[in-house]
Amino acid sequence: MSRLAEIEVLLFVAGEDGLSLRNLAEMLDLQPSAILQQLEKLQEKYQSDSQSGLMILESSNHYRLVTKKEFVELLRIYSKTPINQSMSLIFVE
């Protein structure tokens, strides 16, 4: 299992709260410095992939999975639609 994928999944489910290096290190049984390296790799992956609408944002020592700024208008349209806006988690085996 890829460490990048594990971090990505954890950041996805953490939502707006995000996760600290310490949280991620404890869950993945890695040193915070190793988590930081993986976060940097994941951010590089998102930045270099024009087909991805995601990026990693660090604020207040927490890391979050967020959308790239070029999708702001699309998200404004989405936020005005009268649909259920709760996040769904789908587990596939």
Side-chain angles (χ1 to χ4, degrees):
M1 192 175 315
S2 161
R3 291 294 186 183
L4 290 181
E6 291 175 331
I7 291 171
E8 186 175 49
V9 166
L10 290 170
L11 293 178
F12 176 77
V13 297
E16 289 184 26
D17 293 336
L19 293 168
S20 69
L21 282 178
R22 183 176 168 209
N23 295 141
L24 288 163
E26 288 174 0
M27 286 186 269
L28 297 173
D29 195 29
L30 291 172
Q31 293 295 317
S33 59
I35 295 293
L36 187 56
Q37 289 176 343
Q38 294 298 306
L39 284 165
E40 289 170 357
K41 286 181 185 178
L42 191 55
Q43 179 62 1
E44 288 172 13
K45 175 184 166 189
Y46 289 138
Q47 285 177 341
S48 66
D49 185 359
S50 63
Q51 300 297 306
S52 175
L54 302 175
M55 61 181 271
I56 303 290
L57 177 68
E58 187 272 326
S59 88
S60 302
N61 296 316
H62 278 70
Y63 293 84
R64 296 185 296 146
L65 191 60
V66 299
T67 55
K68 292 178 179 174
K69 64 182 176 183
E70 53 263 34
F71 295 98
V72 167
E73 190 55 37
L74 178 61
L75 295 175
R76 282 191 184 122
I77 292 167
Y78 172 78
S79 70
K80 292 177 185 176
T81 60
I83 59 175
N84 182 357
Q85 295 179 10
S86 65
M87 181 178 72
S88 63
L89 301 179
I90 301 172
F91 297 96
V92 179
E93 292 188 32

